[in-house]
Amino acid sequence: MDSTLEQQERDRLQSQNTELATLAGGLAHEIRNPLSTIGMNLELLAEELEGDDTQRARRMMRRISSLQGECRNLEEILNAFLQFARAGELHLEDGSLNDIVTDYVEFLEPQANSMEVELRPHLDSDLPVVLLDRSLMRQALVNLCRNAIEAMPEGGSIDLLTRTRGDQAVLEIIDTGKGMDEKTRNQMFQAFFSTRSGGSGLGLPTVRRIVEAHQGKISCESEPGKGTRFMITLPASL
């Protein structure tokens, strides 16, 4: 595909992504208004029951607390959906995957250490420059590392490796967690699929949308008990 056709295809995808993001923003607004009203009224009801130690009041407080939890869950799902919808809206500039990994490792290290997870970056000093939306690519890294940490509740390690492959820059995220079976691997990029209770099921689909919007590819290798390896490949900037 020549450069003119590539640009036309990129423009077409960008138009589709912009339309999706606009629709998602409007939907979020329509949902957030009543959700906020529900949350505010639940707070008022809870305040009215303060100091009432009767069995009836305690029962009502448990129900109110349950509804407040569901409101928080809906807010988290809504935020995840907005991230998913906006994952294709790119603001590209020349950049390095090494810089994104280095910055994020520095940010994540205190949390990882507290959970006995060792972060081990291995960065190729000759990595090619790529066209990046830095914020979105960082979000992809956030989602992948969060999943990796959740897969290692008793601690472990995450290797973040960059390397060059032909005219591509490669980023690998390798953890020593519990791994995934074939059924989970086949479904993990489907929107709203989740193996975690309370998960939105949009983390990995958002990662894939981000990578593919960068004209890149993402793949995964994983087995139960043997950890997981995600590999992202991005074309070098011409």
Side-chain angles (χ1 to χ4, degrees), residues 60-219:
M60 290 178 66
M61 279 298 298
R62 286 195 297 270
R63 291 172 177 169
I64 289 171
S65 178
S66 177
L67 288 171
Q68 287 175 323
E70 291 302 319
C71 284
R72 288 191 294 270
N73 288 340
L74 284 172
E75 183 72 25
E76 290 177 5
I77 291 171
L78 189 58
N79 289 334
F81 175 66
L82 283 173
Q83 284 186 350
F84 174 75
R86 292 170 176 166
E89 286 194 308
L90 303 182
H91 303 283
L92 296 172
E93 58 183 347
D94 284 342
S96 171
L97 285 173
N98 285 348
D99 292 342
I100 291 174
V101 172
T102 299
D103 290 345
Y104 185 59
V105 165
E106 183 177 347
F107 169 81
L108 183 62
E109 205 151 30
Q111 178 190 351
N113 289 341
S114 70
M115 302 180 75
E116 297 186 355
V117 173
E118 182 184 4
L119 302 178
R120 303 189 300 208
H122 312 275
L123 307 181
D124 182 351
S125 59
D126 295 322
L127 198 68
V129 171
V130 294
L131 279 175
L132 284 175
D133 183 308
R134 295 173 184 270
S135 176
L136 285 177
M137 195 54 66
R138 178 185 172 99
Q139 183 60 49
L141 188 57
V142 168
N143 287 352
L144 290 172
C145 287
R146 180 171 58 209
N147 284 355
I149 289 175
E150 288 175 353
M152 299 182 288
E154 297 179 1
S157 64
I158 303 175
D159 289 281
L160 299 103
L161 180 149
T162 62
R163 58 186 173 87
T164 304
R165 189 175 69 182
D167 59 352
Q168 296 175 321
V170 178
L171 168 61
E172 296 185 42
I173 298 94
I174 308 162
D175 69 58
T176 58
K178 58 187 178 183
M180 294 179 281
D181 59 24
E182 183 178 2
K183 180 180 178 181
T184 301
R185 291 198 310 273
N186 290 338
Q187 294 179 279
M188 64 184 176
F189 289 123
Q190 295 178 10
F192 301 112
F193 171 78
S194 179
T195 59
R196 181 169 58 88
S197 176
S200 70
L202 287 170
L204 288 177
T206 298
V207 172
R208 185 175 68 173
R209 273 179 58 80
I210 291 171
V211 172
E212 291 181 350
H214 283 81
Q215 309 299 311
K217 295 181 180 180
I218 182 169
S219 61

Side-chain angles (χ1 to χ4, degrees), residues 33-49 64 67-68 71:
N33 282 340
L35 191 60
S36 176
T37 301
I38 292 169
M40 188 163 38
N41 278 280
L42 288 172
E43 287 183 13
L44 292 173
L45 287 172
E47 288 176 5
E48 290 181 11
L49 291 170
I64 289 171
L67 288 171
Q68 287 175 323
C71 284

Side-chain angles (χ1 to χ4, degrees), residues 6-55:
E6 286 180 354
Q7 185 59 49
Q8 289 175 348
E9 179 65 11
R10 191 176 294 115
D11 291 344
R12 183 185 67 81
L13 291 174
Q14 182 68 26
S15 178
Q16 289 180 346
N17 286 324
T18 299
E19 182 179 10
L20 176 60
T22 300
L23 289 171
L27 177 64
H29 177 74
E30 293 300 321
I31 293 175
R32 275 206 171 104
N33 282 340
L35 191 60
S36 176
T37 301
I38 292 169
M40 188 163 38
N41 278 280
L42 288 172
E43 287 183 13
L44 292 173
L45 287 172
E47 288 176 5
E48 290 181 11
L49 291 170
E50 281 185 5
D52 189 339
D53 198 37
T54 63
Q55 185 177 0

